[in-house]
Amino acid sequence: MLYDVAVIGCGRVGLPLALGFADAGLRTLGVDNDTQRLDAVRERRMPFEEPGADAILARAEIDWSSQVSDAAGAQHIVITLGTPSFSHIEIDLSAIRGVLDDLLPHLQDGQSLTLRSTIAPRTTEFVSGYLAKHRGFDVGRQIFVAHAPERIAAGRFFEEIGTLPCIIGGVGERSGEVVGELFGAFGAPIVQTTPVQAELAKIWTNILRYATFALPNLLMMDCEQYDANVFDVIELINRDYPRGGMAQPGFTAGTCLRKDFAFSEERSNAPGMLLAVSRVNESVPLFLVEGLKRRLGSLSGKKVAVLGLAFKADTDDERDSLSHKLIRLLERELADVAIHDPLVETPTLDLDEAVAGADAVVMAANHSVFRDQAVLLSIGERTADGALIADPWDCWGSGQVFGFARELAVLSGTA
Ligand SMILES: NC(=O)c1ccc[n+]([C@@H]2O[C@H](COP(=O)([O-])OP(=O)(O)OC[C@H]3O[C@@H](n4cnc5c(N)ncnc54)[C@H](O)[C@@H]3O)[C@@H](O)[C@H]2O)c1
């Protein structure tokens, strides 16, 4: 075989994984149909931010291809394609099916196929059945199929790949063992299970996070209704309480959390429960817009600065960010929206320009830089008199979701 491993889909998950395999000494092929992305990596430029990746890309011996069929020249094939959810609350498997069809004529005895993407329960069984149906393979003996879910958050790949237990759900007799040897290259503990348990473990890892953050977000909205302070209530819940605690409110989204719950919801035993979790998190932008209106009156013609386009702290990833939804909602109120985010690729205004004369500022992402005293000072000095700040992340450290800039500056000690 020409390669030890081929990774199909060199995105946020697949590219660091391919680099990791190459760095571990495996003859590696990275496959992607995005030619711009391939041009970048061939020139040894990372197409997105991933700490540690630049150095490995600079030295890695790795081949790239835009042809999925080239992956069939590898002993092990790993699929890291996107798995979105249809609005029907159903996994969209079209990318995976397309790649399977491209691979089918070329697969040979002894090869392994691993699904690293997040998938709905029983998808691994479907893939193995597809290979058996169309090529007659005895999966688990002749050819090996497994689910080895990616549980590392973007931005943490090289920090966690060597330690985070790697779950492997192999089909049939030997798939788990074969794919375990491949991922053993990273040195983290390998945990063998069944395919469906691996699928459930991954999606419920994310459902747990999605629900964990929905609770403080719902509490934040309840507190507004009762004229209570959410940060005070969370402190009352958590202080010296020995049985777990409440997380902090904020925008909860991103490509994974926003859709992975749907892979359970599509055949749920409690239909609607996880949809409600989603609805709570999805309501936060509207809650902030309504909160601004309650305090400032109509937003028509008012300048609103939105700080942060990324979906979470200190990332350049804007995919499925609630900031975009917030901006759309503000524009529907005829507000003049000014945007600043120092990390994302989308061009935005610089901070001073975005906040100058603003009637309101929404701290939409909790980037570390937004907690910087210099940033808070600039907001305090440059916004209009009586400017309102919406700060669900408590970037100001003032313990107020809504507060006037002057008041927050005093509370946070930046005045
Ligand atoms: N991003 C994360 O933090 C994260 C974490 C854990 C798991 N996941 C899961 O991993 C999977 C991949 O997510 P991602 O964020 O890396 O997605 P992504 O969109 O960044 O990457 C997918 C890549 O596949 C390529 N691609 C699409 N169709 C192709 C085809 N037919 N042939 C070749 N390449 C093709 C795209 O160009 C893209 O580069 C998803 O199932 C996701 O849910 C993501």
Side-chain angles (χ1 to χ4, degrees):
M1 284 277 174
L2 209 51
Y3 299 102
D4 297 314
V5 61
V7 177
I8 305 179
C10 290
R12 300 254 172 186
V13 164
L15 181 51
L17 184 68
L19 292 175
F21 279 131
D23 209 41
L26 277 69
R27 291 168 303 152
T28 304
L29 176 73
V31 180
D32 204 290
N33 64 359
D34 178 341
T35 48
Q36 276 190 333
R37 175 150 297 193
L38 288 185
D39 288 346
V41 290
R42 283 191 177 114
E43 290 165 17
R44 300 190 183 269
R45 276 188 291 113
M46 272 301 286
F48 50 83
E49 178 68 23
E50 178 65 43
D54 291 291
I56 298 178
L57 183 57
R59 65 172 182 255
E61 280 188 36
I62 180 165
D63 287 345
W64 306 103
S65 171
S66 60
Q67 298 302 315
V68 168
S69 53
D70 288 346
Q75 183 72 42
H76 301 283
I77 300 166
V78 181
I79 294 181
T80 46
L81 295 163
T83 46
S85 168
F86 290 122
S87 54
H88 306 277
I89 314 291
E90 171 201 350
I91 187 169
D92 176 357
L93 280 178
S94 53
I96 289 183
R97 278 192 70 156
V99 156
L100 286 181
D101 288 335
D102 289 345
L103 288 173
L104 262 181
H106 307 286
L107 292 175
Q108 300 171 33
D109 282 12
Q111 285 186 299
S112 82
L113 184 72
T114 300
L115 296 158
R116 185 74 166 167
S117 303
T118 305
I119 46 182
R122 300 244 158 89
T123 303
T124 312
E125 198 177 297
F126 157 74
V127 168
S128 124
Y130 203 77
L131 301 187
K133 177 176 173 185
H134 294 286
R135 286 287 310 275
F137 285 121
D138 181 357
V139 178
R141 290 179 186 214
Q142 262 182 304
I143 202 165
F144 309 102
V145 174
H147 180 41
E150 178 62 89
R151 293 194 306 147
I152 301 175
R156 295 263 168 90
F157 184 85
F158 295 102
E159 188 187 320
E160 294 184 5
I161 187 67
T163 51
L164 193 79
C166 177
I167 297 172
I168 295 184
V171 177
E173 212 174 294
R174 289 198 51 233
S175 297
E177 173 198 329
V178 171
V179 173
E181 279 168 23
L182 170 67
F183 281 88
F186 294 114
I190 301 288
V191 188
Q192 296 283 357
T193 184
T194 62
V196 81
Q197 289 192 171
E199 293 160 343
L200 288 166
K202 168 61 196 180
I203 60 177
W204 280 85
T205 299
N206 280 3
I207 289 169
L208 179 62
R209 284 181 70 68
Y210 205 37
T212 295
F213 297 125
L215 298 178
N217 282 334
L218 182 57
L219 178 60
M220 173 169 68
M221 298 186 245
D222 281 2
C223 283
E224 173 88 345
Q225 179 186 331
Y226 295 115
D227 202 15
N229 182 307
V230 65
F231 298 110
D232 286 350
V233 177
I234 290 175
E235 157 67 9
L236 291 169
I237 295 168
N238 290 348
R239 183 185 294 194
D240 296 335
Y241 191 67
R243 281 171 284 282
M246 178 75 87
Q248 299 292 319
F251 277 179
T252 307
T255 46
C256 290
L257 297 190
R258 268 193 85 235
K259 54 96 178 168
D260 288 353
F261 80 90
F263 300 172
S264 168
E265 186 70 25
E266 69 173 31
R267 55 186 73 202
S268 176
N269 286 303
M273 178 182 152
L274 298 178
L275 260 182
V277 163
S278 165
R279 294 307 306 143
V280 169
N281 289 324
E282 287 289 312
S283 298
V284 174
L286 183 61
F287 162 76
L288 295 178
V289 172
E290 293 300 318
L292 293 180
K293 281 166 62 184
R294 254 192 302 282
R295 290 161 175 87
L296 293 178
S298 165
L299 298 180
S300 178
K302 294 215 167 79
K303 179 173 178 180
V304 182
V306 172
L307 304 193
L309 270 187
F311 82 85
K312 68 173 180 183
D314 300 331
T315 175
D316 62 349
D317 194 347
E318 294 174 54
R319 296 175 304 165
D320 278 350
S321 167
L322 287 179
S323 297
H324 292 286
K325 184 173 192 174
L326 170 77
I327 292 162
R328 290 193 298 273
L329 292 172
L330 287 168
E331 286 174 348
R332 282 167 65 182
E333 297 297 329
L334 302 172
D336 299 329
V337 183
I339 304 161
H340 166 69
D341 189 319
L343 302 183
V344 300
E345 209 175 297
T346 302
T348 62
L349 300 173
D350 68 27
L351 173 72
D352 290 352
E353 208 178 332
V355 299
D359 300 291
V361 177
V362 183
M363 311 299 293
N366 58 337
H367 292 326
S368 310
V369 66
F370 292 158
R371 296 181 190 274
D372 200 287
Q373 293 291 298
V375 169
L376 302 181
L377 206 62
S378 170
I379 298 171
E381 284 174 1
R382 287 185 165 74
T383 47
D385 281 347
L388 186 66
I389 313 289
D391 185 16
W393 299 103
D394 198 20
C395 289
W396 286 69
S398 64
Q400 305 286 321
V401 174
F402 295 101
F404 291 96
R406 280 224 186 98
E407 175 198 343
L408 294 200
V410 171
L411 286 170
S412 65
T414 51

